[in-house]
């Protein structure tokens, strides 16, 4: 025990690499032992530096903010003694160990440990011992990591549950189905596959009290992460036990638990989500204000003479009399000042909403509406496209594996060709509307009556069932009116799905 450190300013460094519950019990125990050593040394503890649930191994990419602060304070002379439980608590990286040696040589920093031998880094022998210890720690950490990684892969290949929190739809063992939650997942997959928006499904779940796995409300993040998990997908359609899918970085495997979602239903849902992907800046809690925001495209022209076709979004403008006029506008530039549209086409939102609503309701008056919503040949087309997509993805994986063993000169071209084929197939899938869409339609009242009091989200879902695109062509209404609005219907082009 060194007696020449009495009264010196000291810092205690605490770290534990695995604290899944976030209770910090490990660092609390370390601090007790470190303070006991500080009392024995007679040093003055001026600060405690703590990095909880962060590894110091050679593999981690996580930053250790308090470790960096510890080094800065030592360089500035704020602390002269660094106390830790073991040398491995500070670092297991040979490269970082050299930084500690520099601290000792240039700033006189002394290191003291509760359960590791103390060595003077200002001597050649002390530096040699430190380097040997940190190299040994690094080797042991990497060996342990490799064993853990191999064990996890073996569990994945056997289809076993990886552990952790209770997965939604199953009990804590990850295998026993919780049917009330499975029904929620299946409903979500069906509704999303039919073209309904995520916001609409989430709101309906929260409104009727359907909870998440931890008893909370559904939000855009946990909802999408949950319903798109492959663990619910039946790994092999011909499997009589209908086992689910075990995901791992090394591939997909037949799981030990039962699956409930067909590959076709999952692929259709994913294609619809990809098609409607957009930033979550539309106010889920309060709902949308603009019925057609993002559904309309600009029919104007760019400065180059090419068609604009940029999406149009709702944005009110202030009139001279102080009132505000809701409008749809072509956004000329994005937040990064890049040109995304002509920025010259606008349309009164109330008039356009009323015009499209009437067009949709008139469509529902047509006797052909059932055929439009549920084309009979879609199911066969989806099955065909899902198999086609699976084949492309399998070839992509095989190509990557072959390239890793023996690099292809034209690998990038081959991969780009496959990715293009995958994209085209997913685009075809997104155009199909298979599934039960009856849940979107009013069961006990005419569509026109239901439309009057319906939410904007529900109306959007109905519009997307029937309309592929709304093109707003440039031009003022002039003297033309429609249903009391200064509005020219001839400037609106509706592309119906059928």
């Amino acid at each position: 025990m060194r007696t020449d450190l009495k009264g010196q300013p000291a810092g205690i460094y605490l770290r534990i690499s695995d604290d899944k519950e976030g209770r910090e019990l490990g660092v609390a125990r370390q601090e007790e032992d470190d303070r006991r050593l500080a009392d024995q040394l007679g040093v003055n503890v001026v600060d405690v530096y703590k990095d909880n649930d962060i590894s110091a191994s050679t593999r981690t990419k996580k930053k250790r903010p308090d470790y960096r602060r510890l080094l800065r304070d030592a360089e500035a002379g704020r602390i002269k003694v660094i106390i830790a439980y073991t040398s491995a608590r500070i670092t297991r990286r040979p490269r970082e160990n050299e930084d500690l040696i520099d601290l000792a040589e240039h700033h006189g920093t002394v290191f003291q440990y509760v359960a590791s031998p103390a060595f003077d880094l200002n001597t050649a022998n002390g530096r040699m011992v430190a380097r040997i210890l940190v190299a040994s720690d690094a080797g042991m950490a990497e060996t342990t990591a490799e064993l853990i990684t191999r064990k996890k892969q073996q569990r994945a290949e056997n289809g076993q549950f990886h552990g952790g929190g209770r997965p939604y739809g199953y009990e804590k063992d990850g295998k026993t189905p919780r049917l009330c939650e499975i029904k929620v997942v299946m409903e979500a997959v069906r509704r999303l596959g039919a073209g309904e928006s995520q916001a609409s499904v989430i709101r309906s779940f929260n409104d009727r009290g359907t909870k998440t796995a931890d008893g909370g409300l559904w939000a855009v993040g946990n909802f999408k992460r949950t319903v798109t998990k492959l663990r619910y997908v039946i790994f092999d359609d011909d499997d009589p036990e209908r086992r689910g899918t075990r995901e791992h970085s090394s591939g997909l495997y037949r799981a030990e638990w039962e699956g409930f979602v067909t590959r076709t239903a999952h692929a259709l849902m994913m294609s619809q989500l990809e098609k409607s992907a957009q930033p979550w800046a539309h106010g889920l809690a309060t709902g949308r204000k603009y019925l057609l925001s993002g559904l309309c495209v600009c029919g104007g022209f760019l400065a180059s003479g090419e068609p604009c076709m940029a999406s149009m979004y709702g944005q009110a403008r202030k009139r001279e009399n102080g009132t505000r006029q809701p409008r749809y506008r072509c956004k000329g530039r994005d937040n990064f000042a890049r040109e995304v549209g002509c920025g010259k086409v606008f349309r009164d939102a109330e008039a356009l909403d009323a015009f499209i609503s009437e067009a949709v309701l008139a469509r529902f008056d047509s006797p052909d509406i059932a055929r439009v919503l549920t084309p009979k040949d879609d199911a066969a087309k989806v099955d065909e496209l899902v198999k086609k997509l699976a084949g492309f993805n399998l070839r992509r994986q095989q190509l990557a594996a072959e390239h890793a063993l023996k690099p292809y000169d034209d690998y990038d071209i081959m991969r780009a060709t496959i990715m293009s084929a995958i994209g085209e197939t997913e685009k075809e899938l997104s155009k199909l509307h298979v599934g039960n869409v009856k849940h979107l339609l009013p069961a006990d009242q005419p569509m026109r009556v239901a439309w009057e009091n319906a939410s904007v989200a529900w109306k959007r879902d109905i519009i997307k069932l029937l309309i592929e695109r709304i093109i707003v062509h440039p031009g003022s209404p002039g003297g033309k009116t429609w249903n009391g609005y200064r509005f020219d219907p001839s400037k609106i082009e509706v592309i119906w799905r059928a």
Side-chain angles (χ1 to χ4, degrees), residues 267 378-392 424-432:
D378 271 6
K381 288 181 181 178
V382 168
D383 288 336
E384 179 185 345
L385 289 172
V386 167
K387 292 177 182 177
K388 188 176 177 182
L389 186 61
F392 285 137
E424 289 300 318
T425 305
E426 289 178 340
K427 189 182 296 183
E428 288 184 63
L429 263 174
S430 70
K431 293 179 181 179
L432 300 178

Side-chain angles (χ1 to χ4, degrees), residues 226-456:
T226 298
V227 301
T228 58
K229 283 183 179 178
L230 288 176
R231 74 162 13 252
Y232 305 112
V233 180
I234 300 168
F235 183 75
D236 185 350
D237 292 335
D238 297 326
D239 181 4
E241 296 182 341
R242 296 171 62 86
R243 297 289 184 87
T245 300
R246 172 67 159 92
E247 275 188 278
H248 189 260
S249 58
S250 61
L252 303 177
Y253 305 95
R254 181 175 182 265
E256 61 180 348
W257 56 82
E258 185 179 354
F260 298 89
V261 178
T262 66
R263 291 166 61 192
T264 298
H266 180 80
L268 184 60
M269 173 186 66
M270 296 305 294
S271 68
Q272 292 286 6
L273 290 175
E274 179 68 23
K275 178 183 176 183
S276 60
Q278 56 188 345
W280 289 102
H282 300 282
L284 177 62
T286 57
R288 291 179 180 267
K289 295 181 179 179
Y290 288 88
L291 177 63
L292 305 175
S293 189
L295 300 182
C296 300
V297 296
C298 175
F301 296 90
L302 301 173
S304 62
E306 297 179 0
C308 178
M309 302 307 287
S311 295
M312 299 179 68
Y313 296 95
Q315 185 181 60
R317 76 177 180 96
K318 191 173 183 179
R319 297 187 178 98
E320 293 182 359
N321 61 6
T323 61
R324 298 177 67 83
Q325 178 194 17
R327 299 188 305 171
Y328 295 107
R329 68 178 290 257
C330 171
K331 189 175 182 180
R333 296 186 179 275
D334 63 13
N335 295 333
F336 300 97
R338 296 173 299 195
E339 184 182 45
V340 293
C342 68
K344 298 178 181 179
V345 177
F346 304 84
R347 201 65 86 237
D348 182 85
E350 291 184 6
L352 187 54
D353 287 354
F355 178 75
I356 295 299
S357 295
E358 180 56 35
V360 168
L361 292 173
R363 195 76 166 177
F364 270 96
D365 291 337
S366 166
D368 294 333
I369 188 64
R371 179 183 59 80
V372 171
L373 290 178
T374 56
K376 296 179 180 179
D377 58 345
D378 271 6
K381 288 181 181 178
V382 168
D383 288 336
E384 179 185 345
L385 289 172
V386 167
K387 292 177 182 177
K388 188 176 177 182
L389 186 61
F392 285 137
N393 280 313
L394 178 61
R395 179 55 189 143
R396 175 178 56 81
Q397 294 170 0
Q398 291 173 340
L399 182 64
E402 293 167 1
H403 180 64
L405 294 174
K406 185 178 180 181
Y408 290 120
D409 292 337
D410 54 353
Y411 170 73
D412 290 338
I413 297 176
M414 297 171 69
R415 185 180 184 278
T417 302
I418 293 175
M419 294 305 295
S420 176
I422 289 174
E424 289 300 318
T425 305
E426 289 178 340
K427 189 182 296 183
E428 288 184 63
L429 263 174
S430 70
K431 293 179 181 179
L432 300 178
H433 288 267
V434 175
N436 182 10
V437 299
K438 291 181 180 178
H439 66 277
L440 281 178
L441 308 181
D444 55 352
Q445 56 185 326
M447 175 60 77
R448 288 182 178 274
V449 175
W451 194 270
E452 291 296 324
N453 300 313
S455 67
V456 171

Side-chain angles (χ1 to χ4, degrees), residues 110-297:
V110 176
F111 296 85
Q112 293 288 311
Y113 306 106
V114 174
S116 287
F119 32 82
D120 189 350
L121 296 182
N122 282 299
T123 66
N125 283 337
R127 291 192 291 272
M128 180 181 69
V129 172
R131 286 169 175 142
I132 291 173
L133 280 176
V134 78
S136 175
D137 285 339
M140 291 179 61
E142 291 183 11
T143 299
T144 301
E146 287 179 358
L147 291 173
I148 292 173
T149 299
R150 180 65 190 115
K151 184 177 180 181
K152 287 182 178 179
Q153 182 170 345
Q154 187 176 34
R155 288 182 62 84
E157 291 172 352
N158 292 333
Q160 295 175 288
F161 178 45
H162 59 75
R166 182 182 75 81
Y168 190 81
Y170 299 85
E171 302 298 338
K172 290 184 178 180
D173 61 4
K175 299 183 295 183
T176 307
R178 185 174 287 195
L179 295 181
C180 61
E181 293 181 352
I182 288 295
K183 289 180 180 179
V184 172
V185 173
M186 295 177 71
E187 178 186 345
V189 171
R190 173 175 55 81
R191 292 171 66 175
L192 293 173
E196 190 170 353
S197 67
Q198 295 179 68
S200 175
V201 178
I202 291 169
R203 264 196 293 272
S204 69
F205 283 179
N206 288 334
D207 287 347
R208 72 189 193 207
T210 301
K211 302 295 185 182
T212 62
D214 57 5
L217 294 175
W218 290 102
V220 291
N222 60 19
F223 173 77
K224 188 173 183 179
R225 282 195 301 271
T226 298
V227 301
T228 58
K229 283 183 179 178
L230 288 176
R231 74 162 13 252
Y232 305 112
V233 180
I234 300 168
F235 183 75
D236 185 350
D237 292 335
D238 297 326
D239 181 4
E241 296 182 341
R242 296 171 62 86
R243 297 289 184 87
T245 300
R246 172 67 159 92
E247 275 188 278
H248 189 260
S249 58
S250 61
L252 303 177
Y253 305 95
R254 181 175 182 265
E256 61 180 348
W257 56 82
E258 185 179 354
F260 298 89
V261 178
T262 66
R263 291 166 61 192
T264 298
H266 180 80
L268 184 60
M269 173 186 66
M270 296 305 294
S271 68
Q272 292 286 6
L273 290 175
E274 179 68 23
K275 178 183 176 183
S276 60
Q278 56 188 345
W280 289 102
H282 300 282
L284 177 62
T286 57
R288 291 179 180 267
K289 295 181 179 179
Y290 288 88
L291 177 63
L292 305 175
S293 189
L295 300 182
C296 300
V297 296

Side-chain angles (χ1 to χ4, degrees), residues 72-98:
R72 289 195 300 269
D73 286 353
E75 290 173 351
R78 183 169 180 253
I79 56 175
K80 288 295 185 180
V81 182
I82 294 177
I83 298 175
Y85 189 77
T86 64
S87 59
R89 291 299 91 195
I90 297 182
T91 186
R92 286 193 172 110
R93 297 183 176 189
R95 186 176 299 171
E96 288 183 346
N97 187 60
E98 296 301 315

